[in-house]
Amino acid sequence: MVLKDKTAIVTGASRGIGKAIALTLAENGADVAVIDLNLEQADEVAAEIKRMGRRAVALAGNVADADSVEDFVTKAAQELGKIDILVNNAGITRDTLLVRMKEDDWDAVLDVNLKGTFNCTKAVARIMMKQKYGRIVNIASVIGLMGNAGQANYGASKAGMIGFTKSVARELASRNITANAIAPGFIVTSMTQVLSDDMKEKLKEQIPLARLGTPSDVANAVLFFASDAASYITGQTIAVDGGMVMQ
């Protein structure tokens, strides 16, 4: 139980990678606030965590809205007593080629992915600074490292998250707060399940380990950053991508 007596907020935690992160943190001892726009699905994840013997609270929240973030962070802190870990996982895509991309497509992705990370980190940082302890983990993407046609908005948002992570790491280090990022590659989720078998095979050809990742692969990296095993690591980005992007 490497996270015994620790509490965590995980955004976008009702399914896919976010759900895997919430469950993995709970399996390792953490109490978890499950944040999502879909409260019904968040409740299901929270119920699963409670069955493990951990405390959990499901809260509806829109990370792009600062007032909503302040509300769910306040409630999570009241329910759990403190906030030790923040995982900024909530994210969206609106893929299209640059010349076809509408301003709304750009704004929506930047608002959720990048501004959402800013909103949540700012709100939680105040709590972490007072208690002089915190672990912030931002879920970026390999697209933020290498770019991808049709994802100018998504790539910009994820590259922004990586730069944001480094700046926050420098600001908060003196308060014993670390900030790190994870850049997942192609992970088996509802977003990749819609791809054809031929497309999946082409993706695998780009990956030295020759397979798509699983949500658990990402969750295990989050667990490392959230634990004291990573207490001397901050401002770093780990690509969980089977070797697709090597820096």
Side-chain angles (χ1 to χ4, degrees), residues 81-92:
K82 56 177 181 167
I83 303 298
D84 299 305
I85 300 157
L86 168 66
V87 184
N88 285 306
N89 170 74
I92 63 169

Side-chain angles (χ1 to χ4, degrees), residues 2-3 6 20-21 24-26 28 30 84-87 133-139 178-182 215-240:
V2 296
L3 300 181
K6 296 293 191 288
I21 292 169
T24 297
L25 296 183
N28 285 273
D84 299 305
I85 300 157
L86 168 66
V87 184
Y133 180 91
R135 299 285 182 264
I136 298 165
V137 186
N138 298 324
I139 307 303
T178 65
N180 292 288
I182 293 169
S216 290
D217 290 323
V218 180
N220 287 332
V222 173
L223 174 62
F224 170 66
F225 275 145
S227 75
D228 286 338
S231 62
Y232 195 56
I233 301 173
T234 195
Q236 303 303 310
T237 301
I238 290 182
V240 181

Side-chain angles (χ1 to χ4, degrees), residues 6 24 26-27 34 38 43 54 78 91 115 124 139 152-153 177 182 196 198 204-205:
K6 296 293 191 288
T24 297
E27 286 167 359
V34 180
N38 189 321
D43 273 324
R54 307 267 75 80
Q78 289 172 345
K115 189 170 79 171
V124 169
I139 307 303
N153 49 2
I177 301 167
I182 293 169
S196 66
D198 182 56
K204 290 177 185 177
E205 290 173 4

Side-chain angles (χ1 to χ4, degrees), residues 92-103:
I92 63 169
T93 58
R94 286 196 182 177
D95 299 348
T96 188
L97 294 175
L98 174 65
V99 293
R100 297 176 184 168
M101 188 175 291
K102 297 176 181 177
E103 188 175 351

Side-chain angles (χ1 to χ4, degrees), residues 83-86 121 124-137 165 168-180 230-231 233-235:
I83 303 298
D84 299 305
I85 300 157
L86 168 66
T121 304
V124 169
R126 298 190 188 102
I127 297 170
M128 292 181 172
M129 289 172 73
K130 287 179 182 178
Q131 63 195 25
K132 295 186 178 179
Y133 180 91
R135 299 285 182 264
I136 298 165
V137 186
T165 300
V168 168
R170 290 185 182 276
E171 283 192 29
L172 301 181
S174 64
R175 300 298 183 95
N176 193 31
I177 301 167
T178 65
N180 292 288
S231 62
I233 301 173
T234 195

